[in-house]
């Protein structure tokens, strides 16, 4: 399975960006390409990338999930999405 939930984590300050995707490999490539080109859609992530540089970031898979479950995760109707939210708040 190549779909599910992922995070991009700054290994220095442990701040994270969480997302979902249909294809981990493609999504990782899209994120890092946009960040290197200074054109990422998320200004907080782009500013952090610019500030800390490219060597402090890690792309990690949190959970494999079928594509049909990704909408449940995005809308918070999935238990795992609630756990991610709690994790983000506590970090």
């Amino acid at each position: 399975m190549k779909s599910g939930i992922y995070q991009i984590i700054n290994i220095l300050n442990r701040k994270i960006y969480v997302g979902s995707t249909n294809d981990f490999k493609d999504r990782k490539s899209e994120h890092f390409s946009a960040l290197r080109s200074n054109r990422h859609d998320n200004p907080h992530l782009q500013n952090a990338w610019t500030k800390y540089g490219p060597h402090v970031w890690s792309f990690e898979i949190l959970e494999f999930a079928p594509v049909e479950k990704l909408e449940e995760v995005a809308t918070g109707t999935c238990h795992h999405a609630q756990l991610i939210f709690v994790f983000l708040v506590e970090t």
Side-chain angles (χ1 to χ4, degrees):
M1 184 177 308
K2 59 183 184 175
S3 59
I5 312 298
Y6 65 90
Q7 69 181 3
I8 299 173
I9 184 166
N10 179 317
I11 59 176
L12 293 179
N13 62 18
R14 308 302 292 171
K15 291 190 178 180
I16 61 174
Y17 172 98
V18 175
S20 63
T21 185
N22 296 333
D23 188 312
F24 290 115
K25 183 179 175 184
D26 287 348
R27 190 65 181 126
K28 178 182 178 182
S29 178
E30 291 167 0
H31 273 298
F32 287 111
S33 177
L35 289 164
R36 283 191 301 273
S37 301
N38 198 32
R39 57 177 178 77
H40 197 277
D41 291 335
N42 184 297
H44 299 291
L45 184 57
Q46 184 64 64
N47 290 338
W49 176 276
T50 301
K51 179 178 179 177
Y52 292 102
H55 302 293
V56 301
W57 301 95
S58 176
F59 184 98
E60 301 172 356
I61 296 171
L62 297 176
E63 182 176 324
F64 292 96
V67 173
E68 58 273 8
K69 290 288 186 181
L70 293 180
E71 185 175 333
E72 290 178 27
V73 172
T75 60
T77 58
C78 174
H79 178 69
H80 186 75
Q82 294 165 352
L83 293 176
I84 291 172
F85 179 73
V86 170
F87 177 72
L88 287 171
V89 170
E90 291 176 356
T91 318

